[in-house]
Amino acid sequence: ETTTGSDDIIVAVLDTGILSGHPDLAGRLIAGYDFVSSVSRARDGDGIDPDPEDPGDDPAGQSSSFHGTHVSGTVGARSDNLTGVAGVTWQTRIMPVRVLGAGGGTSMEVSQGIRFAGGLSNVSGTLPQERAHVINMSLGGGGTSPIEQDAVLAVRAEGTIVIAAAGNDDSSAPYSPAGLDGVISVSAVGATSKKVSYSNYGDKVDVAAPGGEFWDSDGDDNLDMVLSTIGDDRGRFSYTYYQGTSMASPHMAGVVALMLAVNPELTPEDIDMLLEGTHPQTSTRITIDLGKPGRDDYYGHGLIDAAQAVRAAGELPGGPTPTPDKSKLRLSTEALDFRNFLKEIPFAASNGGTGALTITSVTTDAPWLAAAPVSGDAPLVIEITVDRSGLGDGTYSGSVQVESDATDGPSSGSVDVTMTVGGVSAGDVGECLVRIIDPDTMATVAEVMTDASRDYMYTTPAVAPGSYFVSAGTDRDGDSEICDIADACGVAPSQGEVSQDVTGGDIVVTESAGPR
Protein backbone atom coordinates (compact mmCIF):
# COMPACT_ATOMS: atom_id res chain seq x y z
CA GLU A 1 0.00 0.00 0.00
CA THR A 2 3.03 2.27 0.40
CA THR A 3 5.52 0.91 -2.14
CA THR A 4 6.20 -2.21 -4.18
CA GLY A 5 9.80 -1.17 -4.76
CA SER A 6 11.57 0.61 -7.59
CA ASP A 7 13.55 -0.48 -10.64
CA ASP A 8 15.94 2.36 -9.84
CA ILE A 9 17.29 0.18 -7.03
CA ILE A 10 19.80 -2.62 -7.69
CA VAL A 11 20.36 -5.61 -5.40
CA ALA A 12 23.48 -7.66 -6.14
CA VAL A 13 23.18 -11.35 -5.26
CA LEU A 14 26.64 -12.87 -4.69
CA ASP A 15 26.03 -16.60 -4.95
CA THR A 16 26.15 -19.56 -7.35
CA GLY A 17 24.99 -17.45 -10.28
CA ILE A 18 21.56 -17.37 -11.88
CA LEU A 19 19.18 -19.37 -14.05
CA SER A 20 18.38 -16.39 -16.23
CA GLY A 21 15.60 -18.18 -18.11
CA HIS A 22 13.38 -18.69 -15.08
CA PRO A 23 10.01 -17.12 -16.01
CA ASP A 24 9.46 -15.68 -12.53
CA LEU A 25 12.70 -13.68 -12.83
CA ALA A 26 11.97 -12.29 -16.30
CA GLY A 27 12.63 -8.56 -16.43
CA ARG A 28 14.34 -8.53 -13.04
CA LEU A 29 17.93 -9.29 -14.08
CA ILE A 30 20.73 -7.00 -15.24
CA ALA A 31 24.29 -7.79 -16.31
CA GLY A 32 26.54 -9.34 -13.69
CA TYR A 33 29.79 -11.29 -13.67
CA ASP A 34 31.33 -14.69 -12.91
CA PHE A 35 34.32 -14.57 -10.54
CA VAL A 36 34.79 -18.34 -10.06
CA SER A 37 38.43 -18.64 -11.16
CA SER A 38 38.96 -22.40 -11.08
CA VAL A 39 37.90 -24.15 -14.29
CA SER A 40 36.99 -27.33 -12.42
CA ARG A 41 34.87 -25.52 -9.84
CA ALA A 42 33.31 -23.22 -12.42
CA ARG A 43 31.95 -26.11 -14.56
CA ASP A 44 31.37 -23.70 -17.45
CA GLY A 45 34.58 -24.35 -19.38
CA ASP A 46 36.64 -21.37 -18.23
CA GLY A 47 37.59 -19.15 -15.32
CA ILE A 48 36.23 -15.68 -14.65
CA ASP A 49 34.00 -14.33 -17.41
CA PRO A 50 31.10 -11.91 -17.95
CA ASP A 51 28.46 -14.66 -17.82
CA PRO A 52 27.00 -15.38 -14.33
CA GLU A 53 24.75 -18.19 -15.61
CA ASP A 54 24.66 -21.06 -13.09
CA PRO A 55 25.79 -24.36 -14.71
CA GLY A 56 25.13 -26.21 -11.45
CA ASP A 57 27.36 -26.98 -8.48
CA ASP A 58 27.10 -30.80 -8.57
CA PRO A 59 30.10 -32.25 -10.46
CA ALA A 60 27.91 -35.25 -11.34
CA GLY A 61 25.26 -32.97 -12.84
CA GLN A 62 22.47 -34.61 -10.85
CA SER A 63 21.47 -32.55 -7.82
CA SER A 64 22.80 -29.00 -8.10
CA SER A 65 21.47 -26.48 -5.59
CA PHE A 66 20.91 -23.49 -7.92
CA HIS A 67 21.13 -21.60 -4.65
CA GLY A 68 21.57 -18.16 -6.22
CA THR A 69 18.33 -18.50 -8.18
CA HIS A 70 16.41 -19.38 -5.00
CA VAL A 71 17.90 -16.39 -3.16
CA SER A 72 17.18 -14.04 -6.08
CA GLY A 73 13.54 -15.11 -6.16
CA THR A 74 13.13 -14.20 -2.51
CA VAL A 75 14.54 -10.74 -3.16
CA GLY A 76 12.57 -9.93 -6.28
CA ALA A 77 10.60 -12.64 -8.09
CA ARG A 78 7.96 -11.13 -10.36
CA SER A 79 4.78 -10.65 -8.39
CA ASP A 80 1.06 -10.22 -8.97
CA ASN A 81 1.53 -12.25 -12.19
CA LEU A 82 -0.51 -15.39 -11.30
CA THR A 83 2.70 -17.42 -11.39
CA GLY A 84 4.90 -18.98 -8.75
CA VAL A 85 5.95 -16.83 -5.81
CA ALA A 86 6.17 -13.19 -4.80
CA GLY A 87 9.44 -11.42 -4.13
CA VAL A 88 9.88 -9.18 -1.09
CA THR A 89 10.19 -6.29 -3.52
CA TRP A 90 8.01 -6.43 -6.64
CA GLN A 91 10.18 -3.96 -8.51
CA THR A 92 13.94 -3.97 -8.35
CA ARG A 93 16.83 -4.96 -10.56
CA ILE A 94 18.90 -7.97 -9.55
CA MET A 95 22.61 -8.14 -10.42
CA PRO A 96 23.78 -11.79 -10.31
CA VAL A 97 27.43 -12.09 -9.32
CA ARG A 98 28.76 -15.64 -9.36
CA VAL A 99 31.32 -16.33 -6.62
CA LEU A 100 30.44 -19.95 -5.73
CA GLY A 101 30.97 -23.03 -7.85
CA ALA A 102 31.26 -26.76 -7.21
CA GLY A 103 32.70 -27.03 -3.72
CA GLY A 104 32.12 -23.36 -2.87
CA GLY A 105 34.34 -20.35 -3.40
CA THR A 106 37.39 -18.51 -2.07
CA SER A 107 37.73 -15.29 -0.11
CA MET A 108 39.51 -13.78 -3.10
CA GLU A 109 36.55 -14.57 -5.37
CA VAL A 110 34.04 -13.23 -2.85
CA SER A 111 36.04 -10.05 -2.28
CA GLN A 112 36.31 -9.39 -6.02
CA GLY A 113 32.58 -9.97 -6.40
CA ILE A 114 31.93 -7.43 -3.63
CA ARG A 115 34.15 -4.86 -5.32
CA PHE A 116 32.54 -5.41 -8.73
CA ALA A 117 29.01 -5.09 -7.32
CA GLY A 118 30.02 -1.92 -5.50
CA GLY A 119 31.42 -0.37 -8.68
CA LEU A 120 35.08 -0.56 -7.63
CA SER A 121 38.15 -1.85 -9.47
CA ASN A 122 38.53 -5.62 -9.48
CA VAL A 123 40.40 -8.45 -11.22
CA SER A 124 37.94 -8.56 -14.11
CA GLY A 125 39.06 -5.14 -15.29
CA THR A 126 35.39 -4.21 -15.81
CA LEU A 127 32.73 -2.33 -13.87
CA PRO A 128 28.95 -2.57 -13.90
CA GLN A 129 27.10 0.25 -15.63
CA GLU A 130 25.74 1.22 -12.21
CA ARG A 131 26.84 0.02 -8.78
CA ALA A 132 24.54 -2.03 -6.61
CA HIS A 133 22.73 -0.24 -3.80
CA VAL A 134 22.48 -3.46 -1.77
CA ILE A 135 24.70 -6.56 -1.72
CA ASN A 136 23.29 -9.85 -0.42
CA MET A 137 25.66 -12.68 0.49
CA SER A 138 23.93 -15.90 1.48
CA LEU A 139 27.30 -17.58 1.94
CA GLY A 140 30.16 -17.78 4.36
CA GLY A 141 32.56 -19.82 6.44
CA GLY A 142 34.30 -19.94 9.77
CA GLY A 143 36.82 -17.37 10.92
CA THR A 144 37.41 -13.92 9.47
CA SER A 145 38.76 -12.74 6.13
CA PRO A 146 40.88 -9.56 5.94
CA ILE A 147 40.50 -9.39 2.15
CA GLU A 148 36.70 -9.59 2.42
CA GLN A 149 36.80 -7.02 5.22
CA ASP A 150 38.70 -4.56 3.05
CA ALA A 151 36.21 -5.02 0.20
CA VAL A 152 33.20 -4.51 2.48
CA LEU A 153 34.56 -1.30 3.95
CA ALA A 154 35.47 0.00 0.49
CA VAL A 155 31.99 -0.47 -1.03
CA ARG A 156 30.30 0.73 2.14
CA ALA A 157 32.26 3.97 1.87
CA GLU A 158 30.66 4.43 -1.57
CA GLY A 159 27.17 3.97 -0.09
CA THR A 160 26.45 0.28 -0.75
CA ILE A 161 24.63 -1.58 2.03
CA VAL A 162 26.07 -5.06 2.66
CA ILE A 163 23.96 -7.89 4.11
CA ALA A 164 24.99 -11.49 4.85
CA ALA A 165 23.66 -14.73 6.32
CA ALA A 166 24.75 -15.40 9.91
CA GLY A 167 25.39 -19.10 9.16
CA ASN A 168 23.77 -22.45 9.89
CA ASP A 169 26.00 -24.05 12.52
CA ASP A 170 24.00 -23.14 15.67
CA SER A 171 27.21 -21.51 16.84
CA SER A 172 28.56 -18.18 18.05
CA ALA A 173 32.01 -18.79 16.57
CA PRO A 174 33.42 -16.14 14.19
CA TYR A 175 31.85 -16.34 10.73
CA SER A 176 32.70 -14.40 7.57
CA PRO A 177 31.45 -12.29 5.88
CA ALA A 178 28.47 -11.90 8.29
CA GLY A 179 30.73 -11.19 11.26
CA LEU A 180 32.79 -8.49 9.51
CA ASP A 181 32.58 -4.82 10.39
CA GLY A 182 30.09 -2.98 8.19
CA VAL A 183 28.02 -6.09 7.36
CA ILE A 184 24.41 -6.53 8.50
CA SER A 185 24.36 -10.07 9.91
CA VAL A 186 20.99 -11.84 9.62
CA SER A 187 19.91 -14.74 11.84
CA ALA A 188 16.88 -16.90 11.09
CA VAL A 189 13.49 -17.42 12.73
CA GLY A 190 10.69 -19.82 11.87
CA ALA A 191 6.96 -19.26 11.44
CA THR A 192 6.51 -18.90 15.20
CA SER A 193 9.07 -16.05 15.34
CA LYS A 194 11.54 -18.09 17.38
CA LYS A 195 15.19 -18.83 16.57
CA VAL A 196 15.44 -21.96 14.46
CA SER A 197 17.78 -24.71 15.62
CA TYR A 198 20.39 -24.24 12.90
CA SER A 199 20.83 -20.45 13.03
CA ASN A 200 24.10 -18.98 14.24
CA TYR A 201 23.97 -16.38 16.98
CA GLY A 202 26.29 -14.09 18.90
CA ASP A 203 27.31 -10.48 19.34
CA LYS A 204 27.68 -9.93 15.58
CA VAL A 205 24.00 -10.64 14.79
CA ASP A 206 22.15 -7.45 13.85
CA VAL A 207 18.65 -8.54 12.83
CA ALA A 208 16.44 -11.61 12.36
CA ALA A 209 14.35 -12.57 9.31
CA PRO A 210 12.37 -15.61 8.11
CA GLY A 211 14.66 -18.54 7.34
CA GLY A 212 12.25 -21.46 7.48
CA GLU A 213 11.94 -24.74 9.35
CA PHE A 214 11.58 -28.28 8.06
CA TRP A 215 8.17 -28.92 9.60
CA ASP A 216 4.72 -27.36 10.03
CA SER A 217 4.90 -25.48 13.34
CA ASP A 218 1.87 -23.23 12.89
CA GLY A 219 -0.69 -25.78 11.74
CA ASP A 220 -1.44 -24.30 8.31
CA ASP A 221 -0.74 -27.59 6.49
CA ASN A 222 2.34 -26.15 4.75
CA LEU A 223 6.01 -26.70 5.49
CA ASP A 224 7.46 -23.65 7.25
CA MET A 225 10.30 -23.42 4.73
CA VAL A 226 10.92 -20.69 2.18
CA LEU A 227 9.43 -21.36 -1.25
CA SER A 228 11.28 -19.72 -4.15
CA THR A 229 12.50 -20.02 -7.72
CA ILE A 230 14.70 -22.97 -8.68
CA GLY A 231 15.68 -25.24 -11.54
CA ASP A 232 17.30 -28.61 -12.08
CA ASP A 233 20.25 -30.06 -13.96
CA ARG A 234 17.97 -31.03 -16.85
CA GLY A 235 17.12 -27.41 -17.61
CA ARG A 236 13.64 -27.33 -16.07
CA PHE A 237 12.41 -24.38 -14.03
CA SER A 238 10.27 -24.80 -10.93
CA TYR A 239 9.93 -23.82 -7.26
CA THR A 240 11.11 -25.54 -4.10
CA TYR A 241 11.43 -25.13 -0.35
CA TYR A 242 14.78 -24.30 1.27
CA GLN A 243 15.66 -23.36 4.82
CA GLY A 244 18.62 -21.49 6.26
CA THR A 245 20.03 -18.11 7.13
CA SER A 246 20.67 -18.07 3.36
CA MET A 247 16.90 -17.58 3.06
CA ALA A 248 16.72 -15.01 5.89
CA SER A 249 19.36 -12.71 4.41
CA PRO A 250 17.50 -11.98 1.12
CA HIS A 251 14.35 -11.16 3.10
CA MET A 252 16.36 -8.40 4.80
CA ALA A 253 17.93 -7.34 1.49
CA GLY A 254 14.49 -7.07 -0.08
CA VAL A 255 13.22 -4.89 2.77
CA VAL A 256 16.23 -2.57 2.44
CA ALA A 257 15.45 -2.30 -1.28
CA LEU A 258 11.89 -1.25 -0.37
CA MET A 259 13.30 1.36 2.01
CA LEU A 260 15.55 2.74 -0.71
CA ALA A 261 12.59 2.86 -3.10
CA VAL A 262 10.90 5.48 -0.89
CA ASN A 263 14.14 7.18 0.12
CA PRO A 264 17.14 6.63 -2.19
CA GLU A 265 19.29 8.92 -0.02
CA LEU A 266 19.55 6.36 2.79
CA THR A 267 23.13 5.53 3.74
CA PRO A 268 24.60 2.42 5.39
CA GLU A 269 24.91 4.50 8.56
CA ASP A 270 21.17 5.34 8.38
CA ILE A 271 20.32 1.61 8.23
CA ASP A 272 22.62 0.90 11.20
CA MET A 273 20.96 3.58 13.34
CA LEU A 274 17.46 2.52 12.30
CA LEU A 275 18.21 -1.05 13.35
CA GLU A 276 19.60 0.13 16.67
CA GLY A 277 16.66 2.48 17.25
CA THR A 278 19.04 5.42 17.66
CA HIS A 279 18.38 7.44 14.51
CA PRO A 280 18.04 11.12 15.55
CA GLN A 281 15.40 11.89 12.89
CA THR A 282 12.78 9.25 13.65
CA SER A 283 11.50 7.31 16.63
CA THR A 284 9.95 4.63 14.44
CA ARG A 285 11.32 1.16 15.16
CA ILE A 286 11.96 -1.04 12.13
CA THR A 287 12.14 -4.30 14.08
CA ILE A 288 9.86 -6.30 16.37
CA ASP A 289 11.71 -6.99 19.61
CA LEU A 290 12.11 -10.73 20.22
CA GLY A 291 13.78 -12.64 23.02
CA LYS A 292 15.28 -10.61 25.84
CA PRO A 293 14.26 -6.90 25.81
CA GLY A 294 16.59 -4.87 23.61
CA ARG A 295 19.41 -6.30 21.56
CA ASP A 296 20.30 -9.95 22.17
CA ASP A 297 22.58 -12.54 20.58
CA TYR A 298 19.78 -14.61 19.00
CA TYR A 299 17.78 -11.92 17.21
CA GLY A 300 20.05 -8.88 17.21
CA HIS A 301 17.78 -5.85 17.33
CA GLY A 302 14.74 -7.97 16.49
CA LEU A 303 12.69 -9.31 13.58
CA ILE A 304 12.65 -6.96 10.59
CA ASP A 305 9.22 -5.35 10.02
CA ALA A 306 8.82 -4.31 6.38
CA ALA A 307 5.95 -1.85 6.91
CA GLN A 308 7.69 -0.08 9.79
CA ALA A 309 10.99 -0.05 7.91
CA VAL A 310 9.43 1.64 4.88
CA ARG A 311 7.65 4.09 7.12
CA ALA A 312 10.87 5.01 8.95
CA ALA A 313 12.75 5.41 5.67
CA GLY A 314 10.12 7.86 4.46
CA GLU A 315 10.47 9.98 7.58
CA LEU A 316 14.16 10.66 6.97
CA PRO A 317 15.51 13.46 4.74
CA GLY A 318 15.14 12.40 1.12
CA GLY A 319 11.83 10.67 1.74
CA PRO A 320 8.46 11.71 0.29
CA THR A 321 6.59 14.80 1.42
CA PRO A 322 5.12 14.01 4.83
CA THR A 323 1.39 13.30 4.96
CA PRO A 324 -0.86 13.46 8.02
CA ASP A 325 -0.29 10.50 10.31
CA LYS A 326 -2.84 7.72 9.88
CA SER A 327 -2.42 4.48 11.78
CA LYS A 328 -3.87 1.29 10.30
CA LEU A 329 -4.38 -2.04 12.05
CA ARG A 330 -2.93 -5.05 10.24
CA LEU A 331 -3.12 -8.66 11.49
CA SER A 332 -0.70 -11.22 10.05
CA THR A 333 -3.40 -13.88 9.68
CA GLU A 334 -7.17 -14.30 9.59
CA ALA A 335 -7.29 -17.84 10.97
CA LEU A 336 -5.30 -20.31 13.06
CA ASP A 337 -5.81 -24.08 13.03
CA PHE A 338 -4.31 -25.95 15.99
CA ARG A 339 -5.44 -29.31 14.55
CA ASN A 340 -5.25 -32.04 17.19
CA PHE A 341 -1.69 -31.58 18.46
CA LEU A 342 -0.51 -27.94 18.41
CA LYS A 343 -0.60 -25.97 21.67
CA GLU A 344 0.58 -22.46 20.78
CA ILE A 345 0.79 -20.29 17.66
CA PRO A 346 1.72 -16.58 17.53
CA PHE A 347 0.47 -13.91 15.17
CA ALA A 348 1.45 -10.26 14.77
CA ALA A 349 -0.57 -7.07 15.04
CA SER A 350 1.25 -4.30 13.18
CA ASN A 351 0.78 -0.80 11.84
CA GLY A 352 0.12 -0.63 8.10
CA GLY A 353 0.01 3.17 8.14
CA THR A 354 1.93 6.02 9.72
CA GLY A 355 1.79 7.49 13.19
CA ALA A 356 1.67 5.44 16.37
CA LEU A 357 -0.67 2.48 16.86
CA THR A 358 -1.61 1.00 20.21
CA ILE A 359 -3.29 -2.36 20.65
CA THR A 360 -5.74 -1.50 23.43
CA SER A 361 -7.06 -5.01 24.11
CA VAL A 362 -6.78 -8.64 23.00
CA THR A 363 -9.64 -10.89 24.10
CA THR A 364 -10.84 -14.44 23.43
CA ASP A 365 -14.36 -15.87 23.44
CA ALA A 366 -13.75 -19.44 24.61
CA PRO A 367 -12.55 -20.77 27.99
CA TRP A 368 -10.01 -23.09 26.31
CA LEU A 369 -8.43 -20.18 24.41
CA ALA A 370 -5.91 -17.65 25.79
CA ALA A 371 -3.88 -14.74 24.42
CA ALA A 372 -0.84 -12.85 25.72
CA PRO A 373 -0.03 -10.03 25.91
CA VAL A 374 -3.47 -8.40 26.04
CA SER A 375 -2.28 -4.90 25.03
CA GLY A 376 0.79 -2.99 23.87
CA ASP A 377 2.28 -0.79 21.17
CA ALA A 378 2.40 -2.13 17.60
CA PRO A 379 4.13 -4.08 16.22
CA LEU A 380 3.06 -6.66 18.79
CA VAL A 381 3.54 -10.45 18.70
CA ILE A 382 0.53 -12.12 20.33
CA GLU A 383 0.88 -15.72 21.53
CA ILE A 384 -2.31 -17.80 21.27
CA THR A 385 -2.54 -20.98 23.37
CA VAL A 386 -5.18 -23.69 23.71
CA ASP A 387 -5.99 -25.99 26.62
CA ARG A 388 -7.59 -29.34 25.72
CA SER A 389 -7.82 -30.65 29.28
CA GLY A 390 -11.31 -31.74 30.24
CA LEU A 391 -12.67 -31.44 26.70
CA GLY A 392 -14.31 -34.30 24.83
CA ASP A 393 -13.32 -35.42 21.35
CA GLY A 394 -14.44 -33.08 18.61
CA THR A 395 -13.69 -29.82 16.83
CA TYR A 396 -13.93 -26.53 18.68
CA SER A 397 -14.15 -23.00 17.27
CA GLY A 398 -13.40 -19.66 18.82
CA SER A 399 -11.93 -16.28 17.96
CA VAL A 400 -9.45 -13.68 19.12
CA GLN A 401 -10.62 -10.06 19.02
CA VAL A 402 -8.01 -7.31 18.65
CA GLU A 403 -8.94 -3.68 19.43
CA SER A 404 -6.75 -0.69 18.62
CA ASP A 405 -6.72 3.09 18.30
CA ALA A 406 -6.23 2.96 14.49
CA THR A 407 -7.39 6.12 12.72
CA ASP A 408 -7.49 4.74 9.15
CA GLY A 409 -9.84 1.88 8.44
CA PRO A 410 -11.27 -0.55 10.99
CA SER A 411 -9.85 -0.18 14.50
CA SER A 412 -10.59 -3.81 15.36
CA GLY A 413 -9.97 -7.19 13.79
CA SER A 414 -10.43 -10.83 14.60
CA VAL A 415 -8.66 -14.14 14.09
CA ASP A 416 -10.74 -17.30 13.84
CA VAL A 417 -9.37 -20.26 15.80
CA THR A 418 -10.08 -23.96 15.22
CA MET A 419 -8.89 -26.70 17.57
CA THR A 420 -9.47 -30.47 17.52
CA VAL A 421 -9.46 -32.91 20.42
CA GLY A 422 -8.79 -36.57 19.58
CA GLY A 423 -9.20 -38.28 16.24
CA VAL A 424 -6.90 -38.71 13.26
CA SER A 425 -7.03 -37.61 9.64
CA ALA A 426 -6.83 -40.21 6.89
CA GLY A 427 -6.79 -40.28 3.10
CA ASP A 428 -4.95 -41.42 0.00
CA VAL A 429 -2.33 -38.99 -1.33
CA GLY A 430 -0.60 -41.63 -3.46
CA GLU A 431 2.78 -43.28 -3.00
CA CYS A 432 4.94 -41.67 -0.32
CA LEU A 433 8.69 -41.79 0.18
CA VAL A 434 9.65 -41.85 3.85
CA ARG A 435 13.14 -40.47 4.36
CA ILE A 436 15.51 -40.25 7.33
CA ILE A 437 17.43 -36.98 7.04
CA ASP A 438 20.67 -35.83 8.66
CA PRO A 439 19.73 -32.44 10.26
CA ASP A 440 23.21 -31.00 9.73
CA THR A 441 23.62 -31.74 6.03
CA MET A 442 19.94 -32.31 5.13
CA ALA A 443 21.15 -35.39 3.23
CA THR A 444 18.94 -38.48 3.00
CA VAL A 445 20.55 -41.42 4.84
CA ALA A 446 17.74 -43.97 4.38
CA GLU A 447 14.36 -44.15 2.65
CA VAL A 448 11.43 -46.49 1.99
CA MET A 449 8.27 -46.33 -0.13
CA THR A 450 4.73 -46.83 1.23
CA ASP A 451 1.15 -46.19 0.09
CA ALA A 452 -2.50 -46.44 1.09
CA SER A 453 -2.69 -50.15 0.26
CA ARG A 454 -0.28 -50.70 3.17
CA ASP A 455 -2.18 -48.21 5.38
CA TYR A 456 0.95 -46.06 5.03
CA MET A 457 2.83 -48.37 7.39
CA TYR A 458 6.59 -48.20 6.91
CA THR A 459 9.85 -49.62 8.21
CA THR A 460 13.01 -47.81 7.18
CA PRO A 461 16.44 -49.41 6.78
CA ALA A 462 18.65 -49.28 9.85
CA VAL A 463 20.77 -46.18 10.39
CA ALA A 464 23.66 -45.36 12.68
CA PRO A 465 22.77 -44.03 16.14
CA GLY A 466 22.29 -40.29 16.04
CA SER A 467 19.83 -37.42 15.64
CA TYR A 468 17.56 -37.26 12.57
CA PHE A 469 14.49 -35.76 10.97
CA VAL A 470 11.97 -38.13 9.38
CA SER A 471 10.03 -36.76 6.42
CA ALA A 472 7.43 -38.23 4.08
CA GLY A 473 6.01 -37.00 0.82
CA THR A 474 5.01 -37.68 -2.74
CA ASP A 475 7.19 -37.32 -5.85
CA ARG A 476 4.52 -36.49 -8.41
CA ASP A 477 6.87 -35.03 -11.01
CA GLY A 478 9.32 -37.95 -10.83
CA ASP A 479 12.41 -35.86 -10.12
CA SER A 480 13.36 -37.86 -6.98
CA GLU A 481 12.59 -34.80 -4.84
CA ILE A 482 9.70 -34.94 -2.39
CA CYS A 483 7.87 -31.90 -1.03
CA ASP A 484 8.01 -29.95 -4.29
CA ILE A 485 5.29 -27.38 -4.94
CA ALA A 486 2.83 -30.00 -6.26
CA ASP A 487 3.56 -32.67 -3.64
CA ALA A 488 1.94 -33.77 -0.41
CA CYS A 489 4.45 -33.52 2.40
CA GLY A 490 5.02 -33.98 6.09
CA VAL A 491 7.84 -34.16 8.61
CA ALA A 492 8.24 -35.45 12.14
CA PRO A 493 7.61 -32.47 14.41
CA SER A 494 11.09 -32.43 15.93
CA GLN A 495 14.56 -33.79 15.57
CA GLY A 496 14.77 -37.16 17.35
CA GLU A 497 17.53 -39.30 18.81
CA VAL A 498 17.92 -42.83 17.49
CA SER A 499 19.90 -45.26 19.64
CA GLN A 500 17.80 -48.40 19.08
CA ASP A 501 14.81 -49.55 17.02
CA VAL A 502 12.04 -46.94 17.19
CA THR A 503 8.34 -47.67 16.64
CA GLY A 504 5.25 -45.47 16.39
CA GLY A 505 6.72 -42.68 14.28
CA ASP A 506 3.59 -40.95 12.96
CA ILE A 507 3.90 -38.24 10.31
CA VAL A 508 1.04 -35.99 9.20
CA VAL A 509 1.23 -35.67 5.40
CA THR A 510 -0.76 -32.84 3.78
CA GLU A 511 -0.91 -31.05 0.46
CA SER A 512 1.69 -28.31 0.00
CA ALA A 513 1.00 -24.68 -0.75
CA GLY A 514 1.26 -23.24 -4.22
CA PRO A 515 -0.63 -22.43 -7.40
CA ARG A 516 -3.49 -24.88 -7.96
Side-chain angles (χ1 to χ4, degrees):
E1 295 177 341
T2 305
T3 180
T4 56
S6 169
D7 281 342
D8 291 334
I9 304 303
I10 298 172
V11 178
V13 175
L14 273 62
D15 216 293
T16 65
I18 197 72
L19 293 175
S20 60
H22 199 293
D24 226 5
L25 295 174
R28 298 271 72 87
L29 305 176
I30 62 172
Y33 214 86
D34 177 1
F35 284 95
V36 179
S37 56
S38 163
V39 175
S40 60
R41 283 191 297 107
R43 297 193 68 240
D44 60 358
D46 57 20
I48 67 170
D49 61 62
D51 183 7
E53 193 72 19
D54 188 348
D57 51 14
D58 177 13
Q62 298 294 321
S63 58
S64 296
S65 70
F66 298 105
H67 190 272
T69 299
H70 196 280
V71 169
S72 297
T74 298
V75 173
R78 293 180 61 205
S79 305
D80 204 22
N81 62 346
L82 303 180
T83 298
V85 296
V88 174
T89 171
W90 295 13
Q91 298 179 81
T92 195
R93 288 178 290 163
I94 297 172
M95 177 194 297
V97 180
R98 187 170 183 241
V99 296
L100 302 177
T106 69
S107 287
M108 173 62 77
E109 291 161 346
V110 171
S111 67
Q112 295 305 302
I114 293 170
R115 293 186 61 86
F116 174 86
L120 301 179
S121 60
N122 58 85
V123 295
S124 75
T126 64
L127 298 176
Q129 288 189 346
E130 185 180 354
R131 72 166 176 86
H133 303 87
V134 183
I135 292 175
N136 181 84
M137 291 185 284
S138 291
L139 53 84
T144 59
S145 168
I147 191 171
E148 291 176 15
Q149 181 66 86
D150 290 346
V152 166
L153 294 179
V155 299
R156 182 180 164 99
E158 299 298 317
T160 296
I161 298 159
V162 184
I163 300 167
N168 301 329
D169 303 315
D170 188 26
S171 169
S172 61
Y175 194 80
S176 182
L180 301 176
D181 293 341
V183 177
I184 297 172
S185 175
V186 188
S187 66
V189 298
T192 57
S193 297
K194 293 181 174 63
K195 175 191 173 295
V196 289
S197 60
Y198 56 77
S199 179
N200 283 1
Y201 55 93
D203 59 7
K204 294 296 186 179
V205 171
D206 296 296
V207 66
E213 288 181 281
F214 196 63
W215 71 293
D216 178 16
S217 64
D218 55 359
D220 66 354
D221 293 335
N222 302 307
L223 281 176
D224 297 340
M225 299 171 76
V226 178
L227 187 67
S228 189
T229 47
I230 203 70
D232 64 24
D233 291 281
R234 286 177 276 183
R236 300 178 300 183
F237 304 120
S238 59
Y239 306 85
T240 198
Y241 290 102
Y242 277 174
Q243 67 171 14
T245 56
S246 283
M247 286 60 254
S249 185
H251 278 91
M252 180 61 188
V255 171
V256 173
L258 290 174
M259 297 169 74
L260 289 165
V262 298
N263 188 345
E265 295 185 16
L266 292 177
T267 66
E269 292 75 19
D270 285 327
I271 303 298
D272 292 344
M273 289 186 287
L274 288 170
L275 283 170
E276 295 165 0
T278 60
H279 204 291
Q281 291 168 306
T282 179
S283 60
T284 300
R285 288 194 57 85
I286 71 170
T287 59
I288 301 172
D289 194 23
L290 300 176
K292 298 177 181 179
R295 194 214 164 273
D296 64 71
D297 286 355
Y298 279 174
Y299 309 103
H301 298 288
L303 175 66
I304 190 64
D305 184 310
Q308 292 292 94
V310 168
R311 174 188 163 200
E315 293 173 351
L316 270 54
T321 302
T323 58
D325 286 343
K326 291 183 179 181
S327 57
K328 184 178 295 188
L329 176 64
R330 286 285 180 265
L331 303 181
S332 61
T333 187
E334 297 179 349
L336 299 173
D337 184 357
F338 285 77
R339 294 186 283 181
N340 60 356
F341 60 91
L342 294 173
K343 296 180 180 179
E344 61 180 41
I345 306 176
F347 71 90
S350 58
N351 184 4
T354 59
L357 176 69
T358 299
I359 307 303
T360 55
S361 71
V362 182
T363 58
T364 62
D365 64 357
W368 48 267
L369 191 58
V374 296
S375 63
D377 294 333
L380 187 68
V381 176
I382 302 167
E383 193 86 26
I384 305 302
T385 57
V386 297
D387 182 3
R388 296 181 176 85
S389 58
L391 298 177
D393 288 0
T395 299
Y396 295 79
S397 298
S399 66
V400 181
Q401 189 74 21
V402 180
E403 302 286 344
S404 75
D405 61 359
T407 59
D408 183 11
S411 61
S412 63
S414 63
V415 176
D416 295 329
V417 178
T418 303
M419 184 261 299
T420 302
V421 179
V424 296
S425 299
D428 184 353
V429 296
E431 287 189 331
C432 278
L433 273 170
V434 181
R435 288 177 167 168
I436 299 179
I437 297 171
D438 185 316
D440 296 322
T441 65
M442 300 307 291
T444 298
V445 297
E447 69 178 25
V448 66
M449 183 76 77
T450 186
D451 58 27
S453 70
R454 287 169 273 187
D455 294 325
Y456 288 106
M457 298 290 288
Y458 65 93
T459 300
T460 67
V463 297
S467 186
Y468 301 95
F469 289 116
V470 183
S471 68
T474 61
D475 179 21
R476 291 170 177 158
D477 58 3
D479 65 352
S480 298
E481 295 293 334
I482 64 174
C483 299
D484 283 343
I485 193 169
D487 287 328
C489 188
V491 64
S494 62
Q495 187 175 313
E497 283 293 328
V498 175
S499 58
Q500 57 187 1
D501 288 353
V502 176
T503 60
D506 291 337
I507 303 174
V508 178
V509 174
T510 56
E511 297 292 340
S512 300
R516 295 290 189 231

